[in-house]
Amino acid sequence: QVQLVESGGGLVQAGDSLRLSCAASGRTFSTNAMGWFRQAPGKEREFVAAINWSGDTTFYADSVKGRFTISRDNAKNTVYLQMNSLKPEDTAVYYCAASQRRWLYSQVTKNYLYDYWGQGTQVTVSS
């Protein structure tokens, strides 16, 4: 089992930055691919970003590419999502997820391939 706890959400204005953190505990974190997803009210949960077990491979949704950066610190069992140039359309509950695999390759955006989920943290961007 892997337990995930997100933090760092909040209310910001358009153009501001936020950094989300996801602290993992339980089974070995350093062998898990990690992802960030988000869900806006009335919408499906969507993929945001993912990082492989070692941190040297990342993948982003087109909507956040160039603005968001995913990273991890395996010594701290933590994955981060740095969000810059935030837009109102980024408003959502952000979820951290862990896969039992080291990387999901072309399937990295598929939420059903992630085995563990956090409870989510709200990000609200006002215009």
Side-chain angles (χ1 to χ4, degrees), residues 42 54 60 63 72 85 112 114 117:
S54 62
Y60 298 91
S63 58
R72 67 190 297 160
S85 302
Y112 57 83
Y114 291 80
W117 291 82

Side-chain angles (χ1 to χ4, degrees), residues 1-124:
Q1 286 286 339
V2 174
Q3 291 80 42
L4 304 172
V5 178
E6 302 96 335
S7 61
L11 171 63
V12 296
Q13 293 188 330
D16 285 350
S17 298
L18 273 177
R19 188 176 82 156
L20 305 183
S21 299
C22 173
S25 61
R27 287 184 58 181
T28 304
F29 168 80
S30 62
T31 60
N32 299 110
M34 301 294 296
W36 286 96
F37 289 76
R38 66 187 182 186
Q39 188 166 19
K43 294 190 176 181
E44 301 261 329
R45 189 170 298 188
E46 66 173 0
F47 170 80
V48 175
I51 190 166
N52 74 334
W53 66 281
S54 62
D56 61 3
T57 301
T58 58
F59 188 78
Y60 298 91
D62 287 344
S63 58
V64 307
K65 200 174 297 182
R67 300 188 298 122
F68 291 11
T69 303
I70 188 171
S71 62
R72 67 190 297 160
D73 185 338
N74 285 346
K76 296 182 178 180
N77 285 358
T78 302
V79 64
Y80 304 97
L81 185 67
Q82 177 67 45
M83 306 186 294
N84 298 330
S85 302
L86 282 161
K87 304 175 181 180
E89 51 263 43
D90 294 319
T91 295
V93 177
Y94 283 71
Y95 297 91
C96 172
S99 170
Q100 292 182 347
R101 307 182 196 183
R102 294 186 177 219
W103 185 234
L104 294 171
Y105 299 95
S106 62
Q107 305 298 308
V108 72
T109 64
K110 308 299 185 185
N111 58 10
Y112 57 83
L113 293 180
Y114 291 80
D115 303 287
Y116 308 102
W117 291 82
Q119 82 291 347
T121 185
Q122 177 71 47
V123 172
T124 303

